[in-house]
Amino acid sequence: MNRIDKLFKDKKKDILSIYFTAGFPELEDTLPIMRALEKAGADIIELGVPYSDPIADGPTIQDSNTLALQNGMSLNKLFEQLAKMREDISLPVIAMGYLNPVVQYGIEKFCKKCQEVGVDGLIIPDLPMKQYISEYKDVFDAYGLRNTFLISPQTSEDRIREIDKHSDGFIYMVSSASITGAKSGISQEQITYFERIQKMGLSNPRLIGFGISDNETFSTAAKYAHGAIIGSAFINLLKKAKKEGELSGVITSYIKKVKGE
Amino acid sequence: MIAVDENGFYGKFGGAYIPEMLYPNIEELRENYLEITTSADFQEEFRSLLKDYVGRPTPLFFAGRLSEKYGAKIYLKREDLCHTGAHKVNNTVGQIILAKKLGKKRIIAETGAGQHGVATATVCALMGMDCTVYMGEVDMARQKPNVERMRILGAKVVPATSGSKTLKDATNEAMRQWINNPVDTHYIIGSVVGPHPYPEMVARFQSVISEEMKLQLLEKEGRENPDLVIACVGGGSNAAGAFYHYYNQPEVRLIAVEAAGLGISSGKSAATTLLGKPGILHGSRTLLMQTEDGQVVEPHSISAGLDYPGIGPVHAHLFDSGRGEFVAVEDEAAMQAGIMLSRLEGIIPAIESAHAFSALDQIKFNKEDVIVINLSGRGDKDLETYIKWGNY
Ligand SMILES: Cc1ncc(COP(=O)(O)O)c(C=O)c1O
């Protein structure tokens, strides 16, 4: 069974998904960070595939992308690193990246490689639903990859229903009209939006992301969805941890704090 | 008329590859732009501003000494005489009226050379709209007078500090800010790039260039069609405007001139059709300078307005279909052409436009040929670059 499907079957709330950029802070940190996340109790790993022009990302993730590319990260390198991932990592792994590098690598070859190394799903923010349905869905399906779409507070109800119909992992709820980046707190306006979506009775589970950074924002968001996603705040943590020279311990204590343990 | 299909594709190129957060913005535009911009109301305001504010029609000038030198009948379409000094304002006048009719309160824009930024700041002042322009840090340094012009006009200029710190990064930043401000803000893109409907919409606004050329040629030459039209291509808006009404007239040769920078194989170039492969940038599938891994390559051109790693999808199609001829001109040759035009005709061109003149050295044509070169802008903004180059 696909690990994403299994997770959402077994766990209905407080799911914690962590995003980080592959090859950051250093090229060979990818697997150690994934191991540390598994040990620390995260539920999903979202592995960012770095890109030169990430238009949906704020400065923190932009910088991590630039650094990872400078470090020499590429899809070839990433698949090489992930070849042995499934020897000791059992969490669902989602590759998140922009369309152009995937297209240049070759869609079919990319999906095949994902399946080979044990990637369970994809998030490609600039792949529009229409193109996905007409050109990509069959290939994703053939290699057992779940595809996740984003929705935002501006997404119309009709469009959300359409997205729900074509999603098969979970729906990524962008918490506000914004690019990625840590913000302080969750506003009443955002909660109204969370509640509106919660009441729609969608068939896919939902995770809330963008602006989630600590126990307070995580537990608030998790009340209105199946869980939440942390990205920029975790990237900032990695930067700090690297200075202190100790990834695993810093990651463990952060994840425990976020989960309120 | 250059036709686009219902999904915004010119052949294999175009479309709208955008994050879902931009979908409502783009949909609002796509659903409304044709109805609004073809309405009598809109057209009246647009035409009247083009005439009385921009100063259209711009002259079609017979360049006698240049014609003598090259042995052909060469006309210059004087977009350099537009208010603000380049063709860019044709598009910003159109988009600001559209933004107003859509009920928008704020305008954001990207700029490379600063011409589009100035043209945007200008129409925002005219309409009393709040204006923020994103500009690469590198471009801010090399196009300083334009930065100050925007500020004098009341716009906020925000440096883009990521990547190559030029036009591509300014465009990324403008798109991000549009994601952050989806309701009250309109994004005025400055060229025939970006997600559908931008390329098509900008080409329509710029099509006034070839619309006038037809009438002016009829008057001067007794025929609407020249034998060649030559225009420089950054994103490709002045070229799209100059080619627009000739696209379906196969007897008119369309010459698109790209910036070769320090040379095609120097690693410092912006000649997209020679160096690029199909890829996705700023929401459209087009030709794109990129690494084998699909990372966008940082381009180089001495002219900030041509310093872009992609090309509008309409031009990718022009190239791919063989309808257009593409020429690449190096920095040095462009600068020399700029001096040549200054000495022969008393017109100092923008360095972008100077590329188009240098193409005369590379293409073959006949003595009787009528050639129109689109003189997209004047050289005032480039004085510092001319001075630094110094070879005059
Ligand atoms: C005078 C002039 N010509 C040409 C360009 C290139 O843009 P496009 O290719 O969209 O015409 C610019 C851009 O700034 C410009 O200022």
Side-chain angles (χ1 to χ4, degrees):
Chain A
M1 187 179 201
N2 182 292
R3 292 176 197 86
I4 298 171
D5 297 348
K6 182 159 173 12
L7 173 72
F8 284 104
K9 193 165 151 279
D10 295 345
K11 189 166 177 179
K12 304 287 178 200
K13 61 185 188 75
D14 294 330
I15 291 173
L16 174 60
S17 177
I18 298 285
Y19 167 94
F20 77 99
T21 309
F24 172 88
E26 277 167 28
L27 185 60
E28 299 300 337
D29 284 338
T30 315
L31 274 186
I33 292 172
M34 293 174 86
R35 286 191 198 106
L37 282 171
E38 172 140 343
K39 208 177 92 204
D43 297 303
I44 300 176
I45 297 172
E46 253 179 57
L47 200 52
V49 179
Y51 181 47
S52 54
D53 296 78
I55 59 167
D57 287 299
T60 304
I61 294 182
Q62 281 173 47
D63 290 349
S64 72
N65 276 246
T66 306
L67 226 125
L69 291 173
Q70 278 167 9
N71 289 344
M73 185 45 79
S74 66
L75 275 175
N76 278 323
K77 180 72 198 171
L78 181 60
F79 285 129
E80 207 180 291
Q81 289 182 344
L82 298 186
K84 295 195 169 149
M85 163 173 90
R86 287 305 175 194
E87 285 177 5
D88 55 0
I89 290 163
S90 60
L91 289 183
V93 172
I94 296 170
M96 172 159 187
Y98 290 82
L99 188 53
N100 197 49
V102 173
V103 169
Q104 298 312 319
Y105 192 84
I107 294 293
E108 172 117 26
K109 186 174 147 204
F110 174 78
C111 292
K112 186 160 178 272
K113 268 289 184 191
C114 281
Q115 187 186 46
E116 256 172 51
V117 301
V119 167
D120 306 287
L122 303 174
I123 303 175
I124 304 178
D126 56 346
L127 173 59
M129 181 164 59
K130 219 169 169 175
Q131 247 76 28
Y132 163 73
I133 296 167
S134 64
E135 294 172 43
Y136 294 80
K137 185 179 183 340
D138 289 348
V139 191
F140 287 14
D141 285 348
Y143 293 97
L145 297 167
R146 298 287 170 265
N147 182 51
T148 294
F149 289 111
L150 279 60
I151 64 171
S152 85
Q154 263 65 46
T155 312
S156 70
E157 179 167 340
D158 285 353
R159 176 97 178 154
I160 294 174
R161 300 239 175 253
E162 184 80 10
I163 285 173
D164 192 36
K165 206 169 85 190
H166 295 289
S167 296
D168 54 10
F170 61 94
I171 289 175
Y172 192 135
M173 276 178 66
V174 175
S175 70
S176 65
S178 85
I179 52 175
T180 57
K183 282 170 215 71
S184 52
I186 290 178
S187 69
Q188 188 51 48
E189 195 187 340
Q190 286 175 284
I191 294 198
T192 309
Y193 153 62
F194 297 165
E195 284 174 340
R196 174 165 62 86
I197 307 301
Q198 195 176 28
K199 284 194 198 118
M200 284 182 72
L202 301 177
S203 55
N204 284 279
R206 288 159 286 119
L207 298 180
I208 295 176
F210 288 33
I212 311 298
S213 60
D214 52 15
N215 173 257
E216 197 190 323
T217 44
F218 175 71
S219 49
T220 305
K223 261 190 250 165
Y224 302 95
H226 299 75
I229 304 161
I230 297 180
S232 297
F234 188 71
I235 298 282
N236 284 330
L237 181 89
L238 290 179
K239 270 193 275 190
K240 215 176 74 199
K242 202 66 196 180
K243 271 189 215 134
E244 290 161 15
E246 216 279 301
L247 278 174
S248 171
V250 176
I251 290 173
T252 302
S253 72
Y254 175 72
I255 298 294
K256 295 219 177 306
K257 249 200 283 185
V258 168
K259 293 171 72 172
E261 287 169 3
Chain B
M1 166 80 183
I2 310 180
V4 71
D5 76 15
E6 63 176 310
N7 294 316
F9 280 87
Y10 299 94
K12 297 191 291 240
F13 302 104
Y17 295 85
I18 44 163
E20 190 62 32
M21 294 85 92
L22 277 180
Y23 184 81
N25 311 26
I26 291 294
E27 267 305 282
E28 182 186 22
L29 205 58
R30 195 184 63 79
E31 281 173 358
N32 292 298
Y33 87 101
L34 272 181
E35 197 184 320
I36 294 178
T37 59
T38 55
S39 70
D41 204 34
F42 178 97
Q43 280 298 323
E44 194 186 312
E45 190 174 355
F46 182 52
R47 295 287 161 173
S48 143
L49 281 174
L50 286 185
K51 176 167 177 283
D52 297 330
Y53 189 67
V54 174
R56 305 205 70 94
T58 57
L60 186 72
F61 172 66
F62 176 69
R65 301 217 315 138
L66 190 68
S67 296
E68 204 171 300
K69 175 173 157 93
Y70 282 98
K73 273 184 135 173
I74 303 176
Y75 286 91
L76 311 184
K77 181 58 175 161
R78 298 290 309 272
E79 294 302 299
D80 61 316
L81 294 178
C82 288
H83 178 42
T84 69
H87 69 290
K88 296 281 180 189
V89 73
N90 303 326
N91 168 45
T92 61
V93 166
Q95 287 204 46
I96 197 91
I97 303 172
L98 176 63
K100 231 177 41 178
K101 294 205 184 289
L102 287 170
K104 304 294 174 184
K105 302 277 179 285
R106 281 184 72 231
I107 297 295
I108 54 173
E110 86 296 336
T111 196
Q115 283 308 111
H116 173 60
V118 167
T120 303
T122 298
V123 297
C124 285
L126 179 70
M127 298 289 183
M129 292 247 226
D130 187 79
C131 179
T132 305
V133 178
Y134 298 89
M135 186 169 188
E137 217 170 33
V138 169
D139 291 337
M140 283 180 77
R142 63 176 160 174
Q143 303 283 332
K144 232 186 195 143
N146 271 346
V147 174
E148 297 313 320
R149 282 166 85 195
M150 287 185 266
R151 288 183 175 143
I152 289 170
L153 289 160
K156 206 164 107 198
V157 184
V158 178
T161 56
S162 60
S164 53
K165 303 179 176 56
T166 59
L167 181 54
K168 136 182 119 69
D169 311 283
T171 308
N172 290 338
E173 207 44 45
M175 289 196 160
R176 290 181 185 121
Q177 294 311 318
W178 207 22
I179 291 175
N180 287 343
N181 301 282
V183 180
D184 67 342
T185 302
H186 175 70
Y187 174 22
I188 301 191
I189 290 187
S191 191
V192 287
V193 301
H196 179 65
Y198 276 107
E200 209 264 334
M201 181 173 72
V202 176
R204 270 171 190 266
F205 290 144
Q206 293 292 359
S207 69
V208 66
I209 299 172
S210 48
E211 185 185 307
E212 290 173 3
M213 274 160 53
K214 287 186 112 168
L215 296 175
Q216 292 165 325
L217 278 172
L218 189 62
E219 190 186 301
K220 292 179 197 295
E221 289 289 328
R223 55 174 167 128
E224 288 187 336
N225 292 359
D227 297 294
L228 292 86
V229 183
I230 306 178
C232 68
V233 175
S237 67
N238 86 85
F243 297 167
Y244 199 90
H245 291 286
Y246 297 120
Y247 187 79
N248 293 325
Q249 328 261 331
E251 68 276 16
V252 182
R253 287 169 63 192
L254 307 177
I255 317 283
V257 186
E258 296 186 290
L262 298 181
I264 294 302
S265 45
S266 67
K268 286 195 157 299
S269 178
T272 306
T273 56
L274 282 170
L275 298 170
K277 281 184 307 184
I280 290 137
L281 180 68
H282 297 144
S284 71
R285 185 170 192 277
T286 188
L287 290 170
L288 174 61
M289 288 168 50
Q290 54 188 316
T291 66
E292 264 176 34
D293 296 327
Q295 307 296 341
V296 182
V297 164
E298 297 178 1
H300 166 85
S301 167
I302 192 163
S303 93
L306 304 183
D307 206 349
Y308 187 68
I311 184 173
V314 62
H315 297 299
H317 181 57
L318 205 66
F319 177 77
D320 190 59
S321 64
R323 174 68 186 92
E325 299 169 46
F326 283 70
V327 173
V329 168
E330 294 185 9
D331 287 353
E332 182 66 22
M335 296 306 288
Q336 282 169 8
I339 302 303
M340 170 188 74
L341 188 70
S342 305
R343 301 284 160 89
L344 285 180
E345 303 291 346
I347 299 170
I348 305 175
I351 296 170
E352 289 80 7
S353 322
H355 284 72
F357 288 86
S358 181
L360 289 169
D361 293 324
Q362 293 194 37
I363 53 172
K364 289 204 168 62
F365 45 84
N366 299 318
K367 264 209 154 0
E368 321 74 60
D369 279 351
V370 171
I371 301 177
V372 178
I373 301 180
N374 197 38
L375 177 45
S376 57
R378 67 177 89 121
D380 306 26
K381 70 181 176 62
D382 293 317
L383 271 192
E384 212 173 296
T385 311
Y386 275 115
I387 294 166
K388 233 192 231 152
W389 178 70
N391 198 4
Y392 50 86

